[in-house]
Amino acid sequence: MPGQLYKSAAIVGAAEANEIGFLAEPKTSLQLHIEAIKNLSNQTGVPISKIEGVFSTGWSSELCEHLGIKPKYIDTTAVGGCSFEMHVHHAMAAIHSGIIDIALVTHGENGFSARKIGGRGTGNYGRGAGVASPAAEMSMAYGLGSAPSNYAHAMVRHMHRYGTTTEDYAHIAKVTRDWATLNPRAAMYSKEKHPFGGPISVAQVEESRLIAWPLTILHCCMVADHGGAVLIASPKVAAGLNTKPVWLAGAGESMGHANMLEMEDFTATSASRSAEAAYTMAGMGPGEMELAMIYDSFTITAAITAEMLGLAAPGEGHTLWKDGHAAPGGRLPINTNGGGLSFNHSGMYGMPLLIEAYRQLSGTAEDGVHGDVGKQTSAKTCIVNGTGGALSTTGTLVLVADD
Amino acid sequence: MTYNKPIPTRGTHTVPFWEGAKEGKLMLPRCQDCNRVHWYPRFICPHCHSTNLEWVEASGEGKIHTYAVQHLVFGPWEPEAPYVTAYIDLNEGDRMLTVLRGVDPQKPEDIKIGARVKVEFEQANEDTYIPFWRVIEE
Ligand SMILES: [Zn+2]
């Protein structure tokens, strides 16, 4: 039996900033937010003034001020890239309880432009207790900082436990790039678009530059510019709109740790718990998922997450890609936009997951706002999972098409 | 030679750890109610939520839980790249992060998960000795 929040709300629109990727002229994070929100309003026909709840990382109040709106519900959950899946969960609860009927979940992050003009827009995520944190005190001596420097430890443990190889994971990068070559908005769409774009081979992934062994650069996501927003509405409001609703059937969230120092099992994440909650609410299981949008910060993230979501047995996540199931034309398409590996990743990738899931299930993956051509699948169900921090926090959603 | 890597900023409740390190001792926080050690140091036992904590001298030995080789590095550690980082399972329980010594970063496949390691301390300034772990030759 489905849970209380089952289909209590729907995503009724999803849009991106006017330009995304490696912007030649730098933009601020706020600018990327506003472009996406304006496009979302145009797409759905819902005026910005009608937004009742605003969900974003850290700085929701500044966004509302900039938009000149006074919402009834404000959420600033900022626990890394999965925050946006959690925002949707929270918006479902707020709508179900009758506090609001229309919620905006919004993202803007100039991961690439920040190199020139600063202001990354992560909403203070990761700053935490700063130097007053004993975890930082006991880790800062050893020079770990970037995400790959941490995630590589999980990959080594996974290889040790299951006998997986770097080549196994390289298939994830290769297949995800294949999807990107179908999506003109993907940063790595083609050689013309980016010198390192276009199709890649497993051997190329293996032979690319080492970042943190065993992760080569093609096992790692990019850091580019992205802005995106989705609108969540009650069934009553959704019925009056011209856009197609995509129903929120299940949602769940959890965490394992904040610092990798506290990661109990380096081969598992809290996605097992957030997925269980989402499946239970939806009254569905992994066998009924026809599409998966999985945060692929690194190939290892995607592999472990596929295992946690029950889409593959423990230690066999990579086989979904290696055996072609996740590829264009496969039985379980995964990351049809080209993923954080080859589409876009600004630092927090939860929003692009939501946008692509909406487009696929609303049939607008080819002609929605910036939907572009070639990657529409026939999927009617989708599991979306975001991961935040250092394999720390997770948010999972089960989405179902309207028909 | 001056120590040129990041030197930890001390918290208010970790003094015994750093004082022990000066004498070459690895000090760990232990709960007096459930007798379990934990790492990093807390204000409360993460296992049973008791606040009756004490510091005990540990064996300074453990095993490699997992590791990685850092190639793309920014900041003070950059000249050392590639270097090996590891998480160490302490004999007393729980886990520490470290830079691993006695291993060849060019041959990561030769490093063994489960290999025995021992702590050593390097002086960073007058007051601070930083723990590093070294693989014990079998
Ligand atoms: Zn205790």
Side-chain angles (χ1 to χ4, degrees):
Chain A
M1 199 179 68
Q4 246 197 336
L5 296 184
Y6 172 77
K7 292 191 178 179
S8 59
I11 304 179
V12 294
E16 286 171 316
N18 300 336
E19 356 162 47
I20 54 172
F22 298 100
L23 300 192
E25 290 299 320
K27 289 188 176 177
T28 68
S29 297
L30 184 60
Q31 207 170 355
L32 294 162
H33 267 285
I34 301 302
E35 286 182 8
I37 294 166
K38 182 68 183 163
N39 288 335
L40 181 65
S41 176
N42 289 344
Q43 179 196 35
T44 57
V46 175
I48 291 170
S49 59
K50 295 285 184 205
I51 292 165
E52 297 174 317
V54 173
F55 300 70
S56 190
T57 54
W59 55 335
S60 294
S61 60
E62 202 177 334
L63 281 172
C64 293
E65 180 185 88
H66 195 89
L67 292 165
I69 59 174
K70 296 178 174 55
K72 291 191 273 185
Y73 202 105
I74 302 163
D75 183 308
T76 62
T77 302
V79 291
C82 61
S83 301
F84 307 90
E85 280 66 40
M86 294 183 181
H87 293 150
V88 173
H89 185 199
H90 303 170
M92 289 166 73
I95 289 171
H96 179 72
S97 68
I99 301 171
I100 54 172
D101 282 305
I102 301 175
L104 168 73
V105 181
T106 177
H107 165 70
E109 190 179 21
N110 63 349
F112 178 69
S113 291
R115 294 187 205 176
K116 299 172 189 160
I117 58 171
R120 181 72 173 268
T122 43
N124 288 337
Y125 168 69
R127 222 169 287 171
V131 289
S133 144
E137 178 182 348
M138 297 306 175
S139 304
M140 63 184 291
Y142 308 112
L144 289 190
S146 63
S149 70
N150 280 312
Y151 278 67
H153 295 91
M155 188 156 162
V156 172
R157 187 73 194 182
H158 195 273
M159 287 159 63
H160 171 76
R161 177 165 177 184
Y162 295 111
T164 44
T165 65
T166 53
E167 191 244 318
D168 287 334
Y169 306 110
H171 285 275
I172 298 174
K174 187 253 175 219
V175 166
T176 307
R177 179 62 62 91
D178 288 344
W179 279 112
T181 64
L182 301 176
N183 181 4
R185 293 254 304 166
M188 296 299 167
Y189 172 61
S190 66
K191 277 238 172 319
E192 291 68 41
K193 180 144 189 185
H194 191 285
F196 299 121
I200 51 172
S201 68
V202 167
Q204 274 175 298
V205 179
E206 290 271 85
E207 288 155 16
S208 63
R209 184 163 66 102
L210 268 171
I211 301 297
W213 181 91
L215 291 169
T216 62
I217 195 165
L218 288 175
H219 283 280
C220 306
C221 61
M222 68 188 79
V223 182
D225 299 317
H226 191 270
V230 296
L231 203 66
I232 317 285
S234 64
K236 191 181 69 190
V237 169
L241 298 177
N242 290 327
T243 50
K244 263 199 179 177
V246 167
W247 294 99
L248 293 159
E253 61 190 61
S254 191
M255 63 171 279
H257 52 275
N259 300 281
M260 199 163 221
L261 181 56
E262 295 299 296
M263 188 166 185
E264 211 167 289
D265 178 353
F266 277 74
T267 67
T269 71
S270 62
S272 57
R273 291 190 293 278
S274 45
E276 190 188 351
Y279 285 138
T280 302
M281 187 189 288
M284 299 171 87
E288 290 161 273
M289 297 300 108
E290 298 173 359
L291 170 71
M293 291 302 300
I294 298 176
Y295 197 144
D296 54 343
S297 48
F298 304 94
T299 55
I300 182 65
T301 319
I304 290 180
T305 305
E307 295 165 20
M308 296 301 106
L309 301 181
L311 303 173
E316 292 175 13
H318 64 278
T319 62
L320 292 171
W321 288 266
K322 195 174 181 178
D323 297 343
H325 304 308
R331 69 165 166 83
L332 180 66
I334 301 179
N335 295 344
T336 49
N337 56 356
L341 292 168
S342 288
F343 163 66
N344 191 302
H345 173 280
S346 58
M348 300 182 291
Y349 180 67
M351 179 55 71
L353 293 171
L354 291 173
I355 291 171
E356 179 65 9
Y358 174 79
R359 285 174 177 164
Q360 286 287 346
L361 297 196
S362 63
T364 60
E366 296 194 358
D367 56 3
V369 177
H370 301 132
D372 291 320
V373 293
K375 60 184 167 61
Q376 180 70 53
T377 69
S378 59
K380 298 290 179 203
T381 59
C382 177
I383 185 151
V384 180
N385 184 83
T387 303
L391 292 165
S392 313
T393 45
T394 56
T396 309
L397 302 170
V398 172
L399 307 186
V400 177
D402 190 40
D403 33 66
Chain B
M1 203 184 93
T2 338
Y3 189 85
N4 59 2
K5 305 292 187 297
I7 298 173
T9 316
R10 286 194 195 197
T12 51
H13 69 304
T14 54
V15 174
F17 175 79
W18 296 110
E19 290 304 307
K22 271 193 211 173
E23 297 167 26
K25 294 176 184 169
L26 182 72
M27 302 299 288
L28 297 178
R30 183 171 70 185
C31 172
Q32 297 181 52
D33 285 315
C34 75
N35 285 320
R36 294 179 69 177
V37 303
H38 65 263
W39 190 255
Y40 54 89
R42 307 289 215 276
F43 293 103
I44 188 168
C45 170
H47 306 295
C48 76
H49 303 136
S50 162
T51 49
N52 297 319
L53 305 175
E54 61 178 353
W55 288 85
V56 294
E57 184 181 348
S59 63
E61 291 184 13
K63 289 177 175 164
I64 299 174
H65 183 79
T66 188
Y67 64 98
V69 187
Q70 307 301 332
H71 285 262
L72 181 65
V73 180
F74 302 102
W77 277 93
E78 191 178 341
E80 309 290 328
Y83 69 95
V84 181
T85 48
Y87 287 92
I88 305 301
D89 285 329
L90 306 172
N91 281 5
E92 289 77 11
D94 221 326
R95 206 174 282 156
M96 272 186 158
L97 171 66
T98 196
V99 168
L100 198 60
R101 293 177 168 175
V103 290
D104 183 354
Q106 301 295 351
K107 295 179 183 166
E109 294 87 355
D110 291 353
I111 302 169
K112 295 283 172 264
I113 282 178
R116 290 177 57 215
V117 290
K118 196 167 172 36
V119 75
E120 59 190 39
F121 294 88
E122 182 175 347
Q123 184 169 12
N125 62 26
E126 195 183 337
D127 264 344
T128 313
Y129 288 68
I130 297 179
F132 291 92
W133 293 75
R134 183 178 294 276
V135 173
I136 301 171
E137 299 294 335
E138 297 290 345

